[in-house]
Amino acid sequence: MVSEKELEKQLITQLSSQGYEVVEIKDEEDLVYNFRKQLEKFNGIRLSDSEFKKVQVHLAGGSIFEKAKKLRDKFELLTDKGEIKYISFIDKESMENNIFQVTNQITMKGQYENRYDVTILVNGLPLTQIELKRKGIRLKKAFFQIQRYQRHSFSYKALFQYIQIFVISNEENTRYFSNNGELRYEFTFPWTDEHNLKRNRLVDFTKSFLTREHLWSMLTKYIVTNETQKALMILRPYQYYAVEKIIDRVKNYPSFNGYIWHTTGSGKTLTSFKASQIIATLDEIDKVVFCVDRKDLDYQTAKEFNAFEEGSISRVEDTNEFVQKMVRGNKKVVVTTIQKLNNAISKPYYLEQMEKIKNKRVVFIFDECHRTQFGDTHKRIDEFFTNKQFFGFTGTPIFSANAIKYRTTKDLFGDCLHKYTIKEAIDDENVLGFSVEYYSTFNLKNKEGYDLSPDEMIENGIDTYEVYSKRERLEKIVDFIIANHNLKTSNREYQSIFAIGDINTLIEYYHIFKEKNSNLRIASIFTYEANVDLANDEGTFEVEGVECKHPREHLDEMVADYNKLYGSNFNLNSDNGFNSYFIDISKKVKERKIDILLVVNMFLTGFDSKYLNTLYVDKNLKYHGLIQAYSRTNRILNANKSHGNIVCFRNLKKRTDEAIKLFSDENAVETVLMKSYEEYVAILNDYVERLKGLALTPEEVDNLETEDNKLAFIESFKNILRVLNKLESFSTFSFEDLNIDQDEFESYKSKYIDMYDTLVGGGRDKGKTSVIDEIDFEIELLAKDSINATYIVSLLKNLDNKDPSFVRDVEYILKTVDSIPKLKNKRELLERFIEENRRIFSVDFEGSVEDKLIKFMKKKREEAIQEMVAEEELVYGKVNEIVENCEFADKKPDFNDIKDSFSGKISVLKINKKIQSIQERIEKILDRFNIFNM
């Protein structure tokens, strides 16, 4: 077996053969010396000591994100002679002008001394860091090592904060990811070829990803600085190949169109943004028009584009403004709707202006290109512009099998330039699979014993509307949803959409939910103008022949209920009233303030929220409409969200299987859909057997002495948690089916938590190297046991200080809080809150317990900040600003901000350790005094 040292040597030899200069850099002093030499050579300049110092000062300031922007900009240097010279750090136009070097085992001293395996330098700056493990060692160990380096030494050294890309490998498996303040393993990616075949082995990865040409391309073109998140985003392989294919076609085949088939949820906006951005840099291109099909997507896409690069695009509010942006605007990229574009080239009022650009070189990029592209509008655009090129993005193309009366996507856009299916995305863990459950809702059965499918009902001449809209059936479905909603959404940690076949049935459902008087927060929206939604009940997006009935008065009633629930004042009669209402609903779903959103067609395409995990279906979905609707639920969030829940009240099984096969391949069903309940029970029981082989009883866990046995226990219990997480989403779940009862499970869980506290929470020597350092405890899954802020507050609200069980109820709340790792540090605060505010726990109390708790937490946090300011000798105003900024932006305290908050002078030797100590204190304050951060 090849050792890590030998693997390192082989990698450097391979990189040398690929044109990298091998250099010896022992430590930070060598690194700075080499950087100065390469910077001077790269810029063709000699720097005096004072001039180089100015460069160092410029590079030293700011966060990792800000440094990434400095890397791509020029530095205006005032020389000793008083002249201005512009210093570049990387040439974005020509790869050959850059200097590529590789070194290994650089020793850096921060809180601890660390040696980095292999470092790639470009013009003297360390831009790519590679950590290696020998074959057989878990890849995550290399990842955790980088995390540790970032805490212990990367953050102290300005030049190492310029790393843009990390690579981890154990020879057989290799992944890459971008550098950010918070590193998460979910955002590490394997590299592939253009056919999505993985290049996992280090030697293959190096041949493809680490060539000088490709690495330069990734560094200069395919890392995006996200302005909203203040984070670096690196494109995944399928995104890279899609953009490259589009650029190649624009440059070399201007008379040919094409489309990109990337499954829903795989990051289409980032791909299309990068394609638009690069196309806009080409001199021969006059405009890039990113075209969507609804106002909401116009708003959302513009917002996302500007997050990637502030002010990068021009969004237009109306047709007149769109025309002006096209004719006179200085921004090359314009986001608009298909409707505005159609108005601009069909109405005489605008045609005179648009004639000025009809012969310009315009590239059109269509979002979800199967919608609204098959009628007269597309033909009109095609005929008007004489020098245009069309590119479409879709997660669900139109093929001959699902084309009803329209042409296929290929007919409209030509070749598929790149394909990435839902099966591949699930394999790569870029999106989640689905758990689809079908519930019987009437007595008409097929020979398999299931409800008749929609197609079988039609074949048998049954009046489907009469069956599906029967009041008794709708009430049973609502009862089921109310009874099972908490189970499906992890006690409302996530949100849901209810897709309903027609507006009249939706209205009936809405009233039934109101009559049942559940505490679920229900909202609804549908279009009340004829034919605005282009999807029919099959979800195939054909324009319906008969005018839909849209009872406006019912929607007004729903808006009034919404205003009452949220304290808003939306009015559909006001200017832009409907769109404002729509945008607010979109926001509230993403903010987890709506439990169930009732829709007919809206929100079933184009809407993304990682907090949405359940789709209730009482609608005849089919083909691309089905996949699009299901895909609202499968965005990656955390370990708790292991799949999207689809709860069907119609027998759509055959249609589901057909859709998955159509948009992946014949063997995709097992990948896309979860296993059955019985299969997961068998898997979990197998893990239980392994667990009890290590410790037959929970008490025996205490006797595990070797680290290998502790590691085996952690892995076994973690596997049980993961499978249990899936099982608990089934409404039929019961511990009686498992070879471990609930009390026994809870006892093992307590041992697992204790082990976490000991090994991670500070109960051992942190300086000691251990295999336990690389353990990734599945703590998120523990929090799934119904415990979240809403649950705790609901328990507090139900306390009654006059009830004899008050003390016992308080003990239960505190014990519950104590059982969850993320809440344990809040136990003492909650206990004090209850003691100091006993009077409010009464049926007579008219105020809000939740508001009281928030005020209490804020007061205690203020006391903690004051205490820290006094002890650490800091400036209160600056510290308070740091805390507020971190809370608002959900980020960690900035090194330089803390440095600026000292009220006196600090020894240079002590400052780094002091700043890290304060960083940790602020992070603890932010966590401890915010019960709603779970």
Side-chain angles (χ1 to χ4, degrees), residues 35 39 42-43 68-74 87-95 97-100 121-123 125 127 164 215-221:
F35 169 59
L39 187 69
F42 173 60
N43 283 278
K69 294 172 75 173
K70 288 181 184 181
L71 171 68
R72 291 159 176 81
D73 292 335
K74 292 187 177 183
I87 304 295
S88 295
F89 301 104
I90 193 167
D91 190 329
K92 296 183 284 187
E93 306 302 321
S94 170
M95 183 278 295
N97 292 338
N98 296 281
I99 304 161
F100 292 84
L121 306 108
V122 180
N123 307 322
L125 280 172
L127 299 187
Q164 303 294 287
L215 184 62
W216 169 79
S217 184
M218 296 302 290
L219 289 168
T220 56
K221 292 195 289 185

Side-chain angles (χ1 to χ4, degrees), residues 26-41:
K26 295 179 180 177
D27 52 26
E28 185 183 11
E29 186 179 341
D30 284 356
L31 183 68
V32 173
Y33 175 76
N34 179 70
F35 169 59
R36 180 172 179 174
K37 279 176 56 182
Q38 307 314 317
L39 187 69
E40 290 177 337
K41 183 178 176 182

Side-chain angles (χ1 to χ4, degrees), residues 444-446 452-463:
L444 300 170
K445 307 295 180 187
N446 59 22
L452 290 181
S453 70
D455 303 298
E456 289 169 328
M457 292 176 71
I458 293 168
E459 287 169 9
N460 286 282
I462 296 169
D463 185 340

Side-chain angles (χ1 to χ4, degrees), residues 164-399:
Q164 303 294 287
I165 301 172
F166 287 116
V167 175
I168 52 177
S169 180
N170 62 2
E171 190 177 1
E172 287 301 318
N173 291 299
T174 308
R175 286 178 168 251
Y176 71 99
F177 52 103
S178 56
N179 185 18
N180 283 299
E182 182 181 359
L183 301 177
R184 293 174 59 186
Y185 191 75
E186 303 96 276
F187 298 114
T188 67
F189 316 122
W191 187 248
T192 72
D193 66 12
E194 65 176 284
H195 305 293
N196 304 312
L197 295 174
K198 292 184 175 65
R199 293 290 179 255
N200 277 331
R201 296 187 71 245
L202 180 60
V203 64
D204 298 327
F205 180 89
T206 304
K207 281 179 186 175
S208 53
F209 189 93
L210 292 179
T211 64
R212 294 186 307 154
E213 293 83 356
H214 181 78
L215 184 62
W216 169 79
S217 184
M218 296 302 290
L219 289 168
T220 56
K221 292 195 289 185
Y222 293 109
I223 287 180
V224 174
T225 50
N226 187 304
E227 292 286 347
T228 300
Q229 299 175 18
K230 302 298 180 191
L232 305 185
M233 302 174 71
I234 189 165
L235 266 65
R236 304 176 191 206
Y238 59 87
Q239 295 173 312
Y240 164 83
Y241 289 116
V243 175
E244 287 285 296
K245 290 285 186 181
I246 291 174
I247 302 306
D248 175 65
R249 187 144 286 201
V250 170
K251 285 182 175 180
N252 301 314
Y253 307 97
S255 59
F256 290 89
N257 302 323
Y259 74 94
I260 302 297
W261 172 9
H262 282 184
T263 190
T264 305
S266 58
K268 177 258 311 168
T269 303
L270 179 58
T271 312
S272 55
F273 163 77
K274 185 46 71 174
S276 302
Q277 186 189 50
I278 295 174
I279 293 168
T281 65
L282 303 177
D283 293 336
E284 63 267 33
I285 301 301
D286 294 297
K287 288 287 181 183
V288 182
V289 180
F290 191 85
C291 204
V292 295
D293 73 332
R294 284 211 311 260
K295 283 188 287 186
D296 53 285
L297 288 176
D298 181 11
Y299 168 83
Q300 184 65 27
T301 304
K303 184 179 176 184
E304 290 178 0
F305 268 40
N306 280 322
F308 298 143
E309 185 180 323
E310 225 163 5
S312 63
I313 61 101
S314 173
R315 183 173 73 91
V316 291
E317 299 296 338
D318 55 40
T319 303
N320 185 60
E321 191 174 349
F322 167 68
V323 172
Q324 296 307 312
K325 299 286 186 186
M326 289 292 288
V327 176
R328 299 187 182 86
N330 57 5
K331 292 272 174 41
K332 270 195 173 184
V333 183
V334 180
V335 171
T336 191
T337 62
I338 189 78
Q339 292 85 357
K340 290 176 203 164
L341 178 55
N342 184 45
N343 288 340
I345 60 173
S346 60
K347 294 191 176 181
Y349 178 77
Y350 303 116
L351 271 173
E352 184 180 349
Q353 292 292 312
M354 291 296 289
E355 288 285 341
K356 298 174 184 176
I357 62 160
K358 69 178 297 180
N359 298 319
K360 297 282 188 182
R361 179 86 192 275
V362 181
V363 174
F364 291 92
I365 296 179
F366 292 96
D367 174 68
E368 288 303 342
C369 61
H370 57 66
R371 285 180 59 103
T372 66
Q373 287 298 302
F374 293 89
D376 293 336
T377 301
H378 184 91
K379 184 179 177 183
R380 199 172 288 123
I381 298 167
D382 191 19
E383 291 174 350
F384 181 83
F385 291 95
T386 63
N387 194 12
K388 78 286 179 182
Q389 200 167 10
F390 292 158
F391 296 99
F393 279 81
T394 180
T396 49
I398 301 295
F399 302 115

